[in-house]
Amino acid sequence: MVPLKKLHTFGFDTQAKNLVELKSKDDLVSIFHQLKGSDYYLLGEGSNSIFLEDFSGTVILNKLKGIELKESATHFYLSVASGESWHELVKHTLSIGAFGFENLALIPGTVGAAPIQNIGAYGVEVEQFISTIEYYDIEHSTFCTIEHKDCNFAYRDSIFKHALFNKVLITSVNFSIAKDQAVEQSYAPLNQLIDPTPLEIFNKVIEVRREKLPDPKILGNAGSFFKNPVVSDKILKSIENQYSTVPHFRISANSVKIPAAWLIDQLGFKGKVYSGVKCHERQPLVLVNNGNGNGEGLLMLARQIKQDVQNAFSIELENEVRLVGNSGLIVL
Ligand code: FAD
Ligand code: EPU
């Protein structure tokens, strides 16, 4: 058995039956051939995956490395192997004078996992910079490329969570970054900066994230546990009858996004602990491992939050985090 505690940021003390490190694309065919249809889990840095209990299959740990840079008069083109660290890539782009990634600073995880949920923060989503994605088709043992337009990117969503779910291993992500990329500062508190440079945005994002979010190295967590729900104006109105100041952001003519943190906050979950798993006091959308937490506690707390939000607001929360049980993904 292989310990998983250090391989997922929630830090539950769980194990996997086997682990293989993927260091080269050439190993893919033989790795999947040897698995012969048995259970496996593709793992980057484990910052969006929680191993709730011992996993009876093989963890494939992505260690594919390499960054290639090309440029034209108008663009930088970066081809990045999927096992590279996202935050290190953000720093690298700044160092070469390619701007735009700075709003996504300090998001943990690998480059290969970034397009899967289309990571986003402070007014930027990674899809804005993706031109194509290269992947290994597990069933057909072939290498393929998918264009941005076919990835169906949306808020915390892409084709990799649907039609290509569990079917592919992303090997590299190809980015196209305009040389005249404008700074994005529409989100608070970036909007208070006067004429900021990309480096100032980078520093501010890091400062705000350190204030708001627990550091997984100190307190195990997987970032936002649920997605922010998009609801109809009808639901918004019914909430406004009771809470006139409910925060919301318009998404379309008749739908708005409501911060899940606010919904959870209203129900008094902040600081509540279930078997060592706590709803964080500063940011209730983040569940944390108090150090002695276990998968049962996490499921109890997450299910209670989901149930109470449904009962109080008629909103069904959807988990952003992947929950891994004994033989694969668990539905909340
Ligand atoms: P993992 O957890 O290892 O994997 C995630 C999923 O992708 C799994 O289903 C896995 O099987 C699959 N997968 C991984 N690699 C591959 C691959 N190469 N090919 C195919 N499938 C693969 N997210 C945001 O969007 N915005 C934020 O601001 C943000 N802040 C966070 C803050 C903290 C403190 C933490 C802990 C997390 C945060 N996240 C945020 C979530 C997380 O950082 C992202 O989802 C990140 O992209 C996960 O990368 P990973 O390598 O750790 O993924
Ligand atoms: N709020 C409360 N009580 C609290 C905290 C927040 O009511 O204790 C309300 C406030 O109204 C606040 C709102 O929630 O304005 C939003 O909070 P915050 O700015 O912290 O952002 P979020 O919506 O909770 C989202 C992403 C984060 C991303 C930030 C910044 C999702 C699910 N989460 O969080 O992404 O970093 O915005 O853009 O979309 C992640 O995906 O793991 C993640 C951390």
Side-chain angles (χ1 to χ4, degrees):
M1 297 293 279
V2 185
L4 293 170
K5 191 176 166 63
K6 294 209 164 91
L7 295 181
H8 63 139
T9 59
F10 215 86
F12 282 153
D13 202 357
T14 47
Q15 306 182 64
K17 189 167 174 215
N18 293 307
L19 180 138
V20 285
E21 287 197 0
L22 173 65
K23 291 187 172 153
S24 151
K25 272 170 69 175
D26 298 339
D27 299 339
L28 277 164
V29 178
S30 68
I31 286 176
F32 283 101
H33 181 72
Q34 278 164 29
L35 285 173
K36 290 191 188 87
S38 58
D39 291 333
Y40 62 85
Y41 190 80
L42 305 178
L43 191 64
E45 291 180 8
S47 62
N48 209 29
S49 304
I50 306 179
F51 290 96
L52 298 171
E53 56 189 329
D54 288 349
F55 177 56
S56 64
T58 300
V59 165
I60 302 176
L61 191 60
N62 185 359
K63 295 280 179 188
L64 295 176
K65 301 285 179 189
I67 300 179
E68 282 169 32
L69 170 68
K70 287 187 183 144
E71 61 182 291
S72 69
T74 56
H75 285 78
F76 292 101
Y77 304 102
L78 280 167
S79 177
V80 186
S82 56
E84 292 283 348
S85 144
W86 174 260
H87 180 65
E88 290 305 314
L89 178 65
V90 174
K91 289 199 287 186
H92 180 68
T93 55
L94 279 176
S95 75
I96 60 170
F99 303 130
F101 287 25
E102 53 276 2
N103 298 55
L104 303 176
L106 219 60
I107 297 182
T110 51
V111 168
I116 294 174
Q117 72 154 0
N118 183 21
I119 57 168
Y122 299 99
V124 170
E125 289 184 331
V126 70
E127 59 103 352
Q128 290 167 234
F129 305 100
I130 292 176
S131 53
T132 60
I133 294 173
E134 293 170 38
Y135 65 81
Y136 177 69
D137 179 325
I138 296 167
E139 195 190 335
H140 301 103
S141 311
T142 49
F143 289 92
C144 310
T145 300
I146 183 167
E147 305 274 328
H148 175 283
K149 67 175 170 45
D150 298 320
C151 290
N152 302 341
F153 286 119
Y155 165 66
R156 298 295 191 271
D157 206 14
S158 73
I159 192 170
F160 301 103
K161 285 185 157 189
H162 302 279
L164 294 183
F165 174 66
N166 260 352
K167 294 195 166 83
V168 307
L169 187 149
I170 293 175
T171 53
S172 53
V173 183
N174 299 320
F175 299 96
S176 168
I177 310 167
K179 288 190 171 172
D180 61 355
Q181 180 70 38
V183 160
E184 165 57 55
Q185 64 169 130
S186 57
Y187 269 53
L190 305 181
N191 56 6
Q192 279 151 37
L193 300 172
I194 296 158
D195 209 7
T197 63
L199 185 61
E200 283 165 344
I201 297 273
F202 173 83
N203 288 332
K204 191 68 184 176
V205 167
I206 289 179
E207 183 190 318
V208 176
R209 292 182 69 96
R210 287 202 170 125
E211 270 167 25
K212 283 193 175 185
L213 293 165
D215 178 351
K217 289 200 182 93
I218 297 165
L219 197 56
N221 75 85
S224 300
F225 190 87
F226 296 101
K227 294 183 197 175
N228 285 328
V230 174
V231 305
S232 65
D233 278 352
K234 194 170 156 221
I235 299 240
L236 174 68
K237 276 230 157 53
S238 72
I239 299 174
E240 278 176 332
N241 287 337
Q242 202 182 342
Y243 305 89
S244 56
T245 57
V246 51
H248 57 276
F249 308 93
R250 186 142 296 281
I251 298 295
S252 72
N254 51 11
S255 68
V256 294
K257 199 190 263 181
I258 298 185
W262 183 87
L263 299 168
I264 298 167
D265 202 353
Q266 303 317 300
L267 300 174
F269 275 101
K270 270 185 178 174
K272 281 202 175 159
V273 184
Y274 285 42
S275 299
V277 178
K278 185 162 71 173
C279 183
H280 196 251
E281 293 96 342
R282 263 199 326 271
Q283 180 25 302
L285 188 51
V286 179
L287 306 186
V288 300
N289 178 0
N290 253 355
N292 55 349
N294 60 40
E296 221 172 292
L298 181 119
L299 284 178
M300 266 163 46
L301 178 56
R303 284 178 174 149
Q304 193 66 58
I305 290 173
K306 197 172 162 171
Q307 184 68 58
D308 287 7
V309 166
Q310 177 73 54
N311 293 344
F313 303 109
S314 302
I315 292 176
E316 187 176 0
L317 289 182
E318 193 186 333
N319 47 310
E320 175 184 303
V321 174
R322 311 288 181 112
L323 304 171
V324 192
N326 180 263
S327 54
L329 288 182
I330 285 183
V331 178
L332 200 58

